Amino acid sequence: MQVTCTKFEAACRQLNEAISLFFADHDPLAVRTLAAAAHGLLADLVEHDQPDGSWRSHLVESSGLSKKEALAAINSVQNFLKHADRDPNAHLNFDEEENDHIIFIATLECGELGGPLTTAMQAFQIWYLASYPDRIGVETELVVKSRSAFTGIDKLTREKRLASGLNFLTSAIVKYGDGFIRKKKPQKKGD
């Protein structure tokens, strides 16, 4: 079957898969590969319309590093995972919680493009705000609402926080669908 999609659709599909793998506690390298690819596409699309308007650009500006140094830091793990020409014997060491932040920023980039955010993206944002309340403020309305969906999440192990997110995502998809707009397949004669 031929796959046809826009860059935006590709990024959304990659991000949704990253979120599914993330909550199912699958390999953090696979999660990072998908999440970073989606984030890169979405940030590039934002910057195409609004130069330096992406969340990635804001991170670079606020890092205190040169643009080249900041992008090297942001992209170091995904570059390790997709290139071996200069460093075939290199080893990777990263904190898998970095994936949490990459996915969240990718969902923000998607929102900058006018979305719509899929159910998985929205569920992830709620989980993230409940898990990291200090990122935008413990008392902000979004964090308070998110924490009500995940009571006591700050006291759970990472494994249990992910399981809680998976349960939340599964329930949301059952209730609201996955949020993707799909083209109907043409029906065959006689169907």
Side-chain angles (χ1 to χ4, degrees):
M1 178 191 312
Q2 189 73 23
V3 176
T4 304
C5 64
T6 64
K7 299 267 186 178
F8 178 76
E9 291 165 340
C12 289
R13 288 168 63 173
Q14 289 173 320
L15 187 53
N16 256 33
E17 289 302 316
I19 292 167
S20 295
L21 292 171
F22 174 84
F23 281 137
D25 202 12
H26 283 243
D27 190 327
L29 295 177
V31 171
R32 182 56 160 265
T33 299
L34 288 167
H39 174 251
L41 283 172
L42 293 167
D44 287 348
L45 290 171
V46 170
E47 290 174 11
H48 181 266
D49 293 336
Q50 309 165 40
D52 298 324
S54 70
W55 288 93
R56 178 180 63 194
S57 288
H58 297 307
L59 288 171
V60 168
E61 289 171 21
S62 65
S63 71
L65 302 171
S66 72
K67 183 174 183 176
K68 184 178 179 178
E69 292 170 325
L71 288 173
I74 290 170
N75 297 326
S76 65
V77 174
Q78 58 257 41
N79 284 339
F80 177 93
L81 296 171
K82 67 181 183 178
H83 300 293
D85 55 343
R86 285 178 243 133
D87 57 356
N89 298 314
H91 289 82
L92 177 64
N93 182 21
F94 81 103
D95 184 341
E96 71 178 272
E97 282 193 23
E98 291 175 20
N99 290 343
D100 307 18
H101 311 303
I102 295 282
I103 293 170
F104 183 70
I105 293 167
T107 67
L108 295 177
E109 302 285 17
C110 187
E112 289 293 322
L113 292 164
L117 298 184
T118 64
T119 302
M121 291 177 206
Q122 292 175 59
F124 185 88
Q125 286 183 339
I126 294 167
W127 177 89
Y128 183 88
L129 293 172
S131 296
Y132 298 97
D134 56 320
R135 294 291 173 159
I136 67 166
V138 175
E139 300 301 322
T140 61
E141 184 179 351
L142 285 173
V143 170
V144 170
K145 285 183 179 181
S146 295
R147 290 181 66 98
S148 71
F150 291 99
T151 307
I153 196 167
D154 54 331
K155 294 172 181 57
L156 300 177
T157 64
R158 179 163 179 82
E159 184 178 90
K160 289 183 180 177
R161 284 191 305 129
L162 293 175
S164 181
L166 182 60
N167 289 337
F168 184 77
L169 173 59
T170 302
S171 297
I173 288 173
V174 166
K175 187 171 184 177
Y176 302 109
D178 64 13
F180 272 112
I181 299 170
R182 291 184 175 80
K183 296 176 186 170
K184 289 185 178 181
K185 291 182 180 180
Q187 291 186 345
K188 296 178 184 174
K189 284 187 175 183
D191 286 349

